[in-house]
Amino acid sequence: MLVSSPCFEALGALHNLEHLDLSDNNVDDEGVKAFAEAISKGVLDNLQHLILGHNDIGDQGMMALAQSLSMGALHNLEHLDFQKNHIGNVGMKALAAVSYTHLRAHETDSY
């Protein structure tokens, strides 16, 4: 994991950030769990576009992200891209269970 918990904790200083592209950054399940924990604390409340494509995210990471989203994190999110990861049925079901009426697009593609 190149992107670590302290890195995501520092995102709190970017409260006006609307677009975050973490594609091709070797983000794995532990990285997404750290990100999910940070956004659960209200970090990046104005984020509208989150790009996590081309990483090493699997079911555990997606389940952590889905849990944070279900608790109201990233309530302004409109676009979520997580294509070219390793997310299976379990992770996708966790995301599908999140009621996000304002999320307009999501992109996924499995290897």
Side-chain angles (χ1 to χ4, degrees), residues 81-102:
D81 177 343
F82 47 88
Q83 64 180 325
K84 300 293 182 187
N85 278 284
H86 307 284
I87 303 163
N89 290 337
V90 172
M92 293 306 298
K93 285 180 183 178
L95 181 63
V98 177
S99 176
Y100 245 57
T101 56
H102 53 280

Side-chain angles (χ1 to χ4, degrees), residues 28-102:
D28 60 9
D29 285 341
E30 292 305 313
V32 174
K33 288 177 185 178
F35 180 77
E37 183 178 336
I39 63 172
S40 292
K41 297 175 183 173
V43 172
L44 301 177
D45 273 348
N46 292 315
L47 195 67
Q48 296 174 8
H49 302 272
L50 175 59
I51 302 175
L52 296 169
H54 301 270
N55 283 297
D56 295 313
I57 302 167
D59 288 335
Q60 295 298 315
M62 182 54 74
M63 290 182 340
L65 181 61
Q67 182 178 4
S68 292
L69 295 176
S70 71
M71 296 181 337
L74 302 182
H75 57 272
N76 289 313
L77 191 66
E78 296 177 1
H79 180 93
L80 175 60
D81 177 343
F82 47 88
Q83 64 180 325
K84 300 293 182 187
N85 278 284
H86 307 284
I87 303 163
N89 290 337
V90 172
M92 293 306 298
K93 285 180 183 178
L95 181 63
V98 177
S99 176
Y100 245 57
T101 56
H102 53 280

